[in-house]
Amino acid sequence: MNSVLLASNRGPVSFTVSDDGVLTMKRGGGGLVSGLSGVAGEEGVLWVCAALSDGDRGAARQAPGGRLDHAGYETGAVRMLDIAPTTFHRAYNSVANSTLWFVNHLLYDIPNAPHFGTRFRRDWESYRDYNGAFALALAEEAGHGARVMVQDYHLTLTPAMLRAERPDLRIAHFSHTPWAPPEYFSLLPDAVAGEVLEGVLGADHAGFLTRRWAGAFMDCCETMLGAAIDRQAGTITYEGRTTRVGVHALGVDGKALWARAGEPDVESHMAAIREQVGDRRLIVRIDRTELSKNIVRGLLAYKEFLDAHPEWHGRVVHLAFAYPSRHDLPEYREYTAAVQRCAQEIEDEYATDDWNPLILNVDDDYPRSLAAYRLADVLLVNPIRDGMNLVAKEGPILSPRCALVLSREAGACAELGAHALVVNPYDVTGTAEALHAALVMPEPERARRRERLEAAATALPPHRWLAAQLDALGTP
Ligand code: G6P
């Protein structure tokens, strides 16, 4: 039986299936997977995740008991849950991504959304079922007294459900997102908001990326559940049980990142980029095409920068890599189109025969992203709101001379803000000015800041981040 279990919607790998039924495996994306991948594969650790696509379902069905490692995949111990597609779709797209993600990132266009009608109630049932499927699998797989690390907003109900099944287990929940303040969280129907909070409080330890998000969670528990909060001690007491709240600022394993970034495929992408842009300065951004990442305002800021600084025409290129994400949601498809339109406008206005001011790529290419980091002079990270943002941490590790323009609403700003150029993500002109300041930053200052950014970015690498949370649950 397993002594440590990880549970998350997205697992370490995903599969695509070709027309003739051949499965191809690739690494999963996003901050959560980057954080956990380092520990997967260790002795006694099992990762339970959901099948997200037809390819994943195919792989999960072929694997005995859903165990990908038992089917010969080199994933470490992974059990992929084959949840009915309709249940999965309602839980993942409608509740997790269109509701809980929107609430915690403050993304609603309030006069028009959300609408919590009967359809939402139906979807909420699916979210419960989906959380229940995880609780059941974890209850089956966990050894006596095992430690279970439940991840993120997809699985807020699982801790309480699992505790009801297996009171012997020690359970942690970790939020990789921000948490909304009570006045925004209370957009959710009261019963739903209560269930989410009580679900997380089913854990012994509730973890967050920054003090700010932990504080917002405590505020919600106090305001909406009437729970007793001890902010000094970091505890929440509700219905006779106490949950500890911890802040664990996930960082990057610099050595492992360098090991990957030094590989030949990355080097050849570097050569290709250099071929394309010559010796021009590079402003780089790398994101999922995600509403919260604020890509359109980032492009508008670059446009304002070009308007204000003709002396940079022909001397700078913006590499914007926005890889596809959550395309089952219409808002995301529209957002991708808006990003493309905005990029086209910049090209139409400024491109010359021998200078392309902007290279936008909307396909996924991990080695190419690593190559871009290595070449960056400026890294732009300007989310509306973000749990942490690992791009802000990875860039300064890989780029020898990158200056960081960073949104004050990114969790990473708590650790990196002192050494970055901090911007209000809504302030397009302010962001344009910061891009200019980053480009003209003198070399010694650049080097000093980059060094400090790197130190902060690597302070809590994934294995220590997870170890701290396991310690918080006590030793076996
Ligand atoms: C964020 C979330 C993760 C999620 C990732 C990618 O980092 O906190 O839970 O896995 O985005 O999103 P996706 O919907 O593609 O899994």
Side-chain angles (χ1 to χ4, degrees):
M1 287 298 246
N2 302 288
S3 58
V4 173
L5 295 96
L6 310 172
S8 64
N9 174 65
R10 181 174 290 282
V13 292
S14 62
F15 294 84
T16 47
V17 57
S18 65
D19 291 343
D20 47 3
V22 178
L23 291 170
T24 312
M25 186 173 94
K26 72 177 200 161
R27 170 189 184 275
L32 178 149
V33 167
S34 308
L36 296 180
S37 290
V39 279
E42 279 177 19
E43 190 59 32
V45 177
L46 173 71
W47 191 333
V48 178
C49 62
L52 310 182
S53 62
D54 289 343
D56 285 3
R57 275 185 281 275
R61 279 177 201 156
Q62 282 170 21
R67 284 290 293 264
L68 299 179
D69 48 321
H70 291 174
Y73 294 110
E74 287 183 17
T75 52
V78 174
R79 175 167 166 188
M80 196 175 249
L81 304 180
D82 176 13
I83 293 167
T86 309
T87 306
F88 176 78
H89 168 75
R90 291 175 181 169
Y92 173 69
N93 284 317
S94 167
V95 176
N97 286 344
S98 299
T99 307
L100 299 179
W101 180 272
F102 271 56
V103 167
N104 283 328
H105 291 84
L106 321 182
L107 289 181
Y108 284 120
D109 172 18
I110 293 289
N112 301 306
H115 295 252
F116 295 123
T118 49
R119 190 174 167 155
F120 176 76
R121 264 62 183 190
R122 179 201 70 186
D123 297 343
W124 182 250
E125 285 296 325
S126 293
Y127 182 78
R128 279 194 189 129
D129 292 345
Y130 157 96
N131 273 255
F134 271 82
L136 188 65
L138 293 165
E140 280 169 12
E141 302 280 357
H144 185 79
R147 292 177 288 179
V148 184
M149 321 290 290
V150 180
Q151 308 296 310
D152 235 355
Y153 60 100
H154 314 88
L155 297 175
T156 57
L157 308 183
T158 300
M161 289 172 162
L162 181 58
R163 173 167 306 285
E165 287 293 311
R166 291 284 306 270
D168 61 301
L169 299 177
R170 284 162 302 159
I171 306 170
H173 183 273
F174 194 87
S175 293
H176 293 260
T177 62
W179 199 274
E183 58 275 22
Y184 204 88
F185 197 74
S186 60
L187 288 174
L188 291 169
D190 292 354
V192 168
E195 228 176 303
V196 168
L197 298 171
E198 287 174 2
V200 174
L201 291 180
D204 300 290
H205 183 82
F208 295 88
L209 289 164
T210 66
R211 297 176 70 82
R212 188 175 170 199
W213 314 142
F217 177 73
M218 291 194 272
D219 292 346
C220 286
C221 290
E222 184 171 50
T223 314
M224 307 186 74
L225 297 180
I229 311 294
D230 183 337
R231 287 186 174 75
Q232 203 72 29
T235 58
I236 304 174
T237 304
Y238 178 64
E239 294 192 335
R241 277 194 66 251
T242 296
T243 299
R244 265 168 294 117
V245 175
V247 175
H248 306 274
L250 176 63
V252 176
D253 178 344
K255 265 208 192 112
L257 185 65
W258 255 117
R260 180 63 190 91
E263 284 185 22
D265 56 348
V266 177
E267 310 258 344
S268 61
H269 275 293
M270 286 173 76
I273 294 173
R274 271 288 163 233
E275 173 86 8
Q276 221 178 347
V277 303
D279 61 359
R280 296 183 173 97
R281 292 292 159 88
L282 286 182
I283 300 175
V284 170
R285 76 171 303 137
I286 299 169
D287 295 290
R288 290 185 298 111
T289 312
E290 160 60 57
L291 275 57
S292 64
K293 302 292 182 188
N294 207 21
I295 302 170
V296 172
R297 284 193 194 86
L299 293 176
L300 292 174
Y302 180 60
K303 188 163 181 292
E304 280 207 12
F305 155 76
L306 292 176
D307 285 341
H309 294 282
E311 75 276 15
W312 278 97
H313 293 191
R315 293 174 53 217
V316 65
V317 175
H318 184 15
L319 282 185
F321 294 165
Y323 59 90
S325 185
R326 303 185 190 167
H327 266 212
D328 286 341
L329 300 183
E331 290 94 335
Y332 282 64
R333 294 196 297 271
E334 282 158 26
Y335 192 68
T336 305
V339 167
Q340 284 168 317
R341 272 197 308 276
C342 191
Q344 189 60 51
E345 280 166 24
I346 293 175
E347 198 179 317
D348 290 347
E349 190 161 346
Y350 292 103
T352 61
D353 288 346
D354 56 2
W355 175 53
N356 195 355
L358 173 71
I359 299 173
L360 170 71
N361 275 307
V362 292
D363 55 338
D364 188 7
D365 193 326
Y366 185 58
R368 187 188 57 199
S369 298
L370 295 176
Y373 279 141
R374 288 187 59 186
L375 295 170
D377 298 288
V378 176
L379 182 65
L380 173 59
V381 179
N382 66 324
I384 290 172
R385 196 169 160 91
D386 210 334
M388 172 56 69
N389 196 300
L390 287 180
V391 169
K393 292 191 166 178
E394 289 172 347
I397 296 171
L398 292 183
S399 159
R401 66 182 305 280
C402 128
L404 175 64
V405 175
L406 179 61
S407 163
R408 65 187 183 196
E409 303 302 327
C413 197
E415 298 157 275
L416 307 182
H419 320 299
L421 300 173
V422 176
V423 294
N424 166 353
Y426 304 98
D427 184 352
V428 171
T429 305
T431 306
E433 285 164 359
L435 289 176
H436 181 246
L439 278 170
V440 299
M441 187 184 286
E443 292 305 320
E445 183 182 348
R446 221 168 240 289
R448 199 172 52 242
R449 285 180 184 247
R450 197 211 60 82
E451 214 171 279
R452 290 180 184 159
L453 288 169
E454 180 178 19
T458 50
L460 194 61
H463 61 278
R464 291 200 18 231
W465 168 81
L466 196 76
Q469 292 172 71
L470 285 169
D471 284 353
L473 288 179
T475 39

